[in-house]
Amino acid sequence: MSGQSKNKNAASFGWGALIGNLGGLIGLGGAEFRLPVLVARFRLPTLEAVILSKAMNQAQILLSKIKRSFARQSWSDCGNVSVHSNKGCTNVGHGAPCPLGDDNMEINFATAADLPDLADLLAELFTLESDFQPNRDKQLRGLRTILDEPELGKLFVLRVEGKVAGMANALLTISTAEGERALLLEDVIVRQEYRGRGFGRQLVEHVLEWAKRRGMVRVTLLADNQNKVALDFYQALGFSHSHMQVLRKSLT
């Protein structure tokens, strides 16, 4: 094949790919525009133009599949979601773990084996909040529901030296005001003996990064208005007061 013919075919393929992409933007495959250009502009025989156009279609289909595969991977709930140490090192999703620090801390998704420890944490939390009272059976039932129905949300567990030291409950919702997915953050608690070491901050920041990567545009949380320590903690993380008033009604 001559150099002129190679250049001609390369130019034909380039123009054809461009036309195919432009056609895709308006809902057409591109062949409707591509064939006339290949025949009239590049003077290709009809059969050769058809073959080249089909090859371009297959190339576009392959590229689309590859892009969709990467997109699914980016938004998937990867089990390797973790933060290691108290050095600010974050690893959300795939990839090698960050080096462990002196505290040997990690954050990942809860499993069924974690539920008793999470119920203990909720009992500790609800003794701090004036609106709720600890009830182990209710807490276990609620935790198990979230674990069994992942479309409702995710339970995050903070571990230190392999022991459950904290948790956060990330409930999924839709904001009609934003027109996007949003997060309701609840049940953030670090055991008393592990407080003051930055674990709570890392836990919340980790959940927020996870939500951001999943395309959520806003996070809402409720905090006891008499718990100044908690309010200061969330404000330091960038949370601000809302003008909305929380109202509640029991349906039982």
Side-chain angles (χ1 to χ4, degrees):
M1 182 182 291
S2 66
Q4 183 178 0
S5 178
K6 288 182 179 179
N7 291 336
K8 179 180 177 181
N9 286 341
S12 302
F13 195 91
W15 273 98
L18 176 61
I19 293 170
N21 285 326
L22 292 175
L25 292 176
I26 61 174
L28 299 174
E32 296 87 345
F33 307 106
R34 191 162 49 214
L35 281 174
V37 172
L38 294 177
V39 173
R41 171 66 178 82
F42 294 97
R43 302 183 184 281
L44 294 178
T46 302
L47 179 59
E48 186 175 338
V50 170
I51 293 174
L52 185 58
S53 180
K54 287 184 176 294
M56 292 176 187
N57 282 338
Q58 294 302 314
Q60 285 181 296
I61 291 172
L62 178 60
L63 287 174
S64 296
K65 288 182 177 179
I66 292 173
K67 287 192 290 185
R68 285 196 296 268
S69 175
F70 277 110
R72 284 195 298 268
Q73 179 175 324
S74 298
W75 298 112
S76 64
D77 285 328
C78 175
N80 182 29
V81 179
S82 58
V83 174
H84 292 275
S85 84
N86 63 349
K87 309 298 182 182
C89 182
T90 302
N91 173 33
V92 181
H94 294 282
C98 304
L100 294 177
D102 295 336
D103 292 309
N104 199 5
M105 184 273 285
E106 64 177 0
I107 300 169
N108 45 39
F109 293 139
T111 67
D114 296 318
L115 295 188
D117 288 315
L118 300 189
D120 291 341
L121 283 168
L122 290 178
E124 184 175 341
L125 174 64
F126 293 156
T127 59
L128 302 173
E129 296 183 338
S130 56
D131 276 14
F132 306 106
Q133 296 296 324
N135 184 315
R136 188 173 182 82
D137 288 340
K138 287 183 178 180
Q139 271 82 81
L140 283 172
R141 186 164 65 245
L143 291 167
R144 192 171 293 109
T145 299
I146 297 171
L147 197 64
D148 291 343
E149 301 180 38
E151 69 275 9
L152 297 177
K154 289 291 184 181
L155 296 170
F156 289 84
V157 178
L158 181 148
R159 306 176 199 276
V160 178
E161 298 291 345
K163 297 179 180 179
V164 174
M167 67 170 290
N169 179 8
L171 298 176
L172 311 180
T173 185
I174 301 292
S175 168
T176 54
E178 302 288 351
E180 300 288 349
R181 290 186 292 178
L183 184 73
L184 178 59
L185 182 61
E186 291 195 335
D187 304 330
V188 178
I189 177 74
V190 173
R191 288 191 190 278
Q192 177 68 46
E193 60 266 34
Y194 294 105
R195 294 175 194 165
R197 295 159 65 179
F199 293 150
R201 174 184 57 80
Q202 290 188 76
L203 175 60
V204 173
E205 288 179 343
H206 180 75
V207 176
L208 297 184
E209 179 65 18
W210 171 84
K212 183 178 179 180
R213 287 173 180 255
R214 282 184 54 87
M216 298 179 203
V217 298
R218 189 187 68 201
V219 57
T220 300
L221 62 83
L222 301 178
D224 193 315
N225 60 15
Q226 297 178 358
N227 191 337
K228 187 178 184 302
V229 173
L231 294 174
D232 290 345
F233 168 76
Y234 289 119
Q235 286 181 315
L237 286 168
F239 287 85
S240 59
H241 288 282
S242 169
H243 295 295
M244 306 296 288
Q245 177 70 44
V246 177
L247 302 176
R248 183 180 292 120
K249 177 179 173 63
S250 176
L251 299 178
T252 57

